[in-house]
């Protein structure tokens, strides 16, 4: 789940983020958290990649939250929107931009929990997660966040959609076993795996990802990779 908190008050922004992280970690939800101090930077980010859930302050300097919400709805009708505010005077505006709920400041943890319960019931079911043990910590990772992965020096280097990389000590076989039910993943070389959902093209030597990354394909896997990519595109087209 991709979540944004938009508030020009640093204390309110960080407090809400902290409570959301606590509540969602208890529910073992894999979440990408982003915080914005103004509506313009948030809208730029939302236009590049949509959010599932947005907590949006109404009273902000510059572009106010209601205007931000109207602009957002112009290109994203689906994300769940929660207004954060010191007053519910904008209830009609909230209805017009399909805000699901209000969260009134100062925040109370019980109210944050209550709003979250309602919000989560309106979100589509999330994909299953895989559990990775990194050092002494456990990380929950949604397979859809993985662009590609390679095995190097006894570690799996997992390249993620947000541009980061995480490394976990395990064999390549152990890692692919975690993803055996995921038909979108393809082993395209010795110790190399790619998520076909993020592939834009295949030139016979490498998969070109949407972010410009080239994932090499071994010569011995060229024909099987071409066939698998074609089959994936056919299946995806048939389900749309």
């Amino acid at each position: 789940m991709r979540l944004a908190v938009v508030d020009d008050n640093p204390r309110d922004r960080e407090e809400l983020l902290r409570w959301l992280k606590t509540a969602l970690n208890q529910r073992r939800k894999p979440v990408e958290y982003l915080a914005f101090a103004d509506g313009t930077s948030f809208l730029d980010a939302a236009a590049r990649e949509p959010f599932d859930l947005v907590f949006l302050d109404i009273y902000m300097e510059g572009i106010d939250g209601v205007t931000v919400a109207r602009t957002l709805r112009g290109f994203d009708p689906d994300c769940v929107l929660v207004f954060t505010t010191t007053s519910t005077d904008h209830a009609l505006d909230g209805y017009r931009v399909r805000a699901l709920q209000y969260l009134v400041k100062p925040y109370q943890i019980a109210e944050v929990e209550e709003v979250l319960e309602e919000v989560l019931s309106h979100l589509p079911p999330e994909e299953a997660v895989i559990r990775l043990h990194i050092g002494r910590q456990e990380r929950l990772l949604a397979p859809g966040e993985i662009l590609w992965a390679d095995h190097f020096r006894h570690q799996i280097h997992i390249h993620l959609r947000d541009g980061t990389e995480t490394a976990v000590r395990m064999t390549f076989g152990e890692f692919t076993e975690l993803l055996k039910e995921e038909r979108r993943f393809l082993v395209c070389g010795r110790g190399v795996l790619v998520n076909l959902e993020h592939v834009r093209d295949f030139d016979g030597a490498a998969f070109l990802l949407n972010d410009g990354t080239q994932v090499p394909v071994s010569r011995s896997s060229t024909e099987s990779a071409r066939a698998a990519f074609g089959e994936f595109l056919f299946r995806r087209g048939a389900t749309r």
Side-chain angles (χ1 to χ4, degrees):
M1 178 169 65
R2 186 169 154 88
L3 181 154
V5 173
V6 189
D7 196 323
D8 62 349
N9 184 308
R11 187 176 66 179
D12 289 348
R13 187 172 64 243
E14 293 306 316
E15 180 182 49
L16 181 55
L17 265 177
R18 184 172 65 252
W19 281 358
L20 289 172
K21 287 179 179 179
T22 298
L24 289 167
N25 284 343
Q26 290 173 350
R27 292 168 172 80
R28 305 182 77 82
K29 294 282 186 182
V31 181
E32 178 186 359
Y33 299 92
L34 287 93
F36 301 90
D38 61 85
T40 300
S41 59
F42 161 70
L43 288 171
D44 288 344
R48 289 193 299 271
E49 185 174 355
F51 289 91
D52 300 295
L53 174 58
V54 177
F55 290 83
L56 177 60
D57 185 33
I58 290 180
Y59 299 105
M60 294 190 293
E61 294 291 332
I63 308 176
D64 65 87
V66 173
T67 302
V68 172
R70 290 191 187 117
T71 304
L72 175 68
R73 286 305 187 215
F75 60 84
D76 185 351
D78 298 323
C79 81
V80 175
L81 179 61
V82 176
F83 275 140
T84 62
T85 179
T86 55
S87 167
T88 57
D89 291 343
H90 289 271
L92 181 57
D93 291 316
Y95 173 78
R96 287 170 175 161
V97 296
R98 300 191 303 284
L100 177 65
Q101 191 52 277
Y102 281 84
L103 196 54
V104 179
K105 301 177 182 181
Y107 301 125
Q108 302 295 324
I109 186 61
E111 293 177 0
V112 173
E113 290 272 2
E114 184 178 338
V115 168
L116 263 183
E117 282 299 320
E118 182 175 0
V119 163
L120 294 176
S121 71
H122 283 77
L123 289 172
E126 293 183 356
E127 63 178 322
V129 297
I130 59 174
R131 300 177 185 275
L132 301 174
H133 294 279
I134 303 173
R136 296 184 178 180
Q137 295 184 329
E138 180 183 67
R139 177 169 181 179
L140 304 180
L141 185 63
E145 296 300 310
I146 301 172
L147 296 181
W148 67 289
D150 61 330
H151 186 244
F152 180 67
R153 290 186 176 177
H154 310 294
Q155 288 188 317
I156 303 294
H157 296 263
I158 307 170
H159 308 269
L160 301 174
R161 191 172 65 174
D162 63 4
T164 63
E165 176 187 326
T166 190
V168 57
R169 185 169 290 276
M170 63 194 313
T171 68
F172 189 67
E174 290 170 338
F175 182 64
T176 55
E177 179 68 17
L178 294 175
L179 299 167
K180 64 181 180 180
E181 303 299 328
E182 297 282 344
R183 298 176 66 186
R184 56 188 149 175
F185 287 95
L186 175 70
V187 175
C188 57
R190 185 177 178 84
V192 180
L193 173 141
V194 66
N195 184 347
L196 295 176
E197 277 193 345
H198 299 293
V199 172
R200 187 167 69 205
D201 200 4
F202 176 54
D203 65 5
F207 283 113
L208 177 63
L209 305 191
N210 293 326
D211 68 353
T213 300
Q214 290 189 327
V215 179
V217 176
S218 66
R219 288 185 179 181
S220 61
S221 300
T222 298
E223 291 307 316
S224 60
R226 191 188 309 277
F229 185 44
E231 181 184 353
F232 173 80
L233 293 177
F234 177 79
R235 287 200 314 267
R236 186 169 65 180
T239 58
R240 288 184 173 179

